[in-house]
Amino acid sequence: MSIYNIIDSIRKHPGLYLGGKSISSLLHYLDGYQAAEREFAARKKGPLFPLPFSYMHEYTAYRLKKPCGSMGWRDQILRSCDGDEEAALWQFYEFYDGFIRVRMRRYWKAILSQDNIAWNNQMEHTYSIRPKKTGCKTGPYSFDELTYVREPVYLDPLAVYIIELTIPAFLLAVETISDIQLKRFFFPSLEAAKGIGHCEGAEKYFGPLDSWKEFTANAISFSKNIVV
């Protein structure tokens, strides 16, 4: 059962699942469901749509015509409903119905050259926590047994995708040897997704890209795990 099935079931019987009609109770329930997914390493592969539920924050901001900043969908909707928990719950479902209908207009794909990969590999500005010594121990580790290792944002990248949505927004996806990694937010334009005037676009990570190819399609599917 997916989170979308759960959300649809809650709509029919909110009291049964939530104990009442409250958007905050819905948030707590879905947070618990998603925590269980992470615990059991649930991964999505195949069709990208409907979009991963984490994009509900960005979609809510689009519907409310306000930047979400650090506010999640619950806080955004609750504020727009003047704190009315039940009204906010039904407002969520109105937005959710639009969210799950978002699809793709077209996409662009760029195969990364050795120069692009070298650009990425030289940008060592993320940190991973690793054991200081390797061996048979698998954890848990004490603080003294761990170290921070600087590494590129993307390990073993292969290609970049920019996906134009049926709402005025774009997604950026990076294909690596092991998975498909999606940026957690919407880009306002194709130029921003490419990295022109935006600090999180593709060319900020991989340098100039001249291999973009445009594809017209209303769906896209991946054989690797999709990570947001």
Side-chain angles (χ1 to χ4, degrees), residues 3-4 6-11 18 22-24 26-27 30 34 53 55-57 59-60 63-64 72-78 80-81 84-100:
I3 192 169
Y4 311 106
I6 290 290
I7 292 171
D8 289 336
S9 296
I10 293 173
R11 178 180 357 213
L18 308 178
S22 160
I23 193 173
S24 293
L26 175 66
L27 172 70
L30 296 181
Q34 291 174 297
F53 185 70
Y55 285 109
M56 189 66 191
H57 305 307
Y59 182 80
T60 299
R63 290 293 299 266
L64 293 173
W73 52 263
R74 188 276 306 268
D75 291 339
Q76 294 179 70
I77 296 173
L78 194 58
S80 74
C81 293
D84 186 322
E85 289 276 351
E86 182 174 351
L89 176 66
W90 302 124
Q91 181 78 83
F92 164 83
Y93 275 105
E94 179 185 335
F95 289 177
Y96 171 77
D97 287 340
F99 173 72
I100 60 174

Side-chain angles (χ1 to χ4, degrees), residues 25-79:
S25 296
L26 175 66
L27 172 70
H28 299 323
Y29 191 102
L30 296 181
D31 279 351
Y33 181 88
Q34 291 174 297
E37 284 188 321
R38 291 190 294 271
E39 177 70 21
F40 292 102
R43 295 289 187 268
K44 176 181 178 179
K45 63 175 62 175
L48 179 60
F49 298 93
L51 287 171
F53 185 70
S54 56
Y55 285 109
M56 189 66 191
H57 305 307
E58 292 284 329
Y59 182 80
T60 299
Y62 155 72
R63 290 293 299 266
L64 293 173
K65 297 180 171 59
K66 295 180 179 179
C68 64
S70 60
M71 295 176 65
W73 52 263
R74 188 276 306 268
D75 291 339
Q76 294 179 70
I77 296 173
L78 194 58
R79 176 178 290 185

